[in-house]
Amino acid sequence: MKPATAAKKLGVYLEATPAEFQEGMVSRTELNALQADPPQWLSDLRQNGPHPRPVVAAKLGVSVSGLARGGVTEPLTTQQIDALKEERPEWLERERATQAEVRNEAVRLRAKKAEQAEKAAQAANG
């Protein structure tokens, strides 16, 4: 697979990986080995960053779109993410609230769908 795909699967920012990783192809076996026994560079990247936007968003509890709305367009280090958590800027609080609403709505819709499926099953059996 392409290095960009492998980096995405590993949850790391491609441009921060070693040159040999960026320049070569990664087999499924190699990817599995990296996941099972990460080399030091991979452990360091996962721990300290810089992190790709999906990882930053997850660590902050917001969506990738929420990051963009908050003006965060570049990869962040763990230290920068922690600083944002401490600062609690208004955009972050707003995006966290939005994300919580989205999660709650998803839970509500899943419950409604399950209830409808149960009623359909009862009607079919009854």
Side-chain angles (χ1 to χ4, degrees):
M1 71 187 70
K2 293 179 181 177
T5 304
K8 186 175 183 179
K9 290 181 180 286
L10 293 169
V12 296
Y13 183 56
L14 177 62
E15 285 76 9
T17 62
E20 58 271 11
F21 180 85
Q22 293 180 38
E23 295 165 1
M25 296 298 280
V26 180
S27 71
R28 174 57 68 184
T29 303
E30 291 168 328
L31 179 68
N32 290 341
L34 287 169
Q35 289 172 323
D37 187 22
Q40 189 62 46
W41 65 265
L42 181 55
S43 296
D44 290 345
L45 275 179
R46 285 178 168 167
Q47 184 174 0
N48 303 317
H51 303 287
R53 283 185 318 223
V55 174
V56 173
K59 287 179 178 277
L60 290 173
V62 299
S63 67
V64 173
S65 298
L67 282 180
R69 286 189 293 271
V72 177
T73 58
E74 297 297 318
L76 299 179
T77 64
T78 300
Q79 187 177 10
Q80 291 169 314
I81 293 168
D82 290 344
L84 275 174
K85 287 179 179 178
E86 285 181 30
E87 291 169 19
R88 300 176 68 113
E90 189 261 326
W91 71 264
L92 179 58
E93 294 302 310
R94 183 177 59 245
E95 292 300 333
R96 282 181 166 175
T98 299
Q99 192 69 6
E101 289 174 20
V102 168
R103 281 192 299 270
N104 290 340
E105 181 65 5
V107 167
R108 186 188 71 77
L109 290 174
R110 276 195 301 275
K112 183 178 178 181
K113 188 174 182 179
E115 182 181 317
Q116 289 172 342
E118 186 176 317
K119 285 181 182 178
Q122 287 175 353
N125 292 332

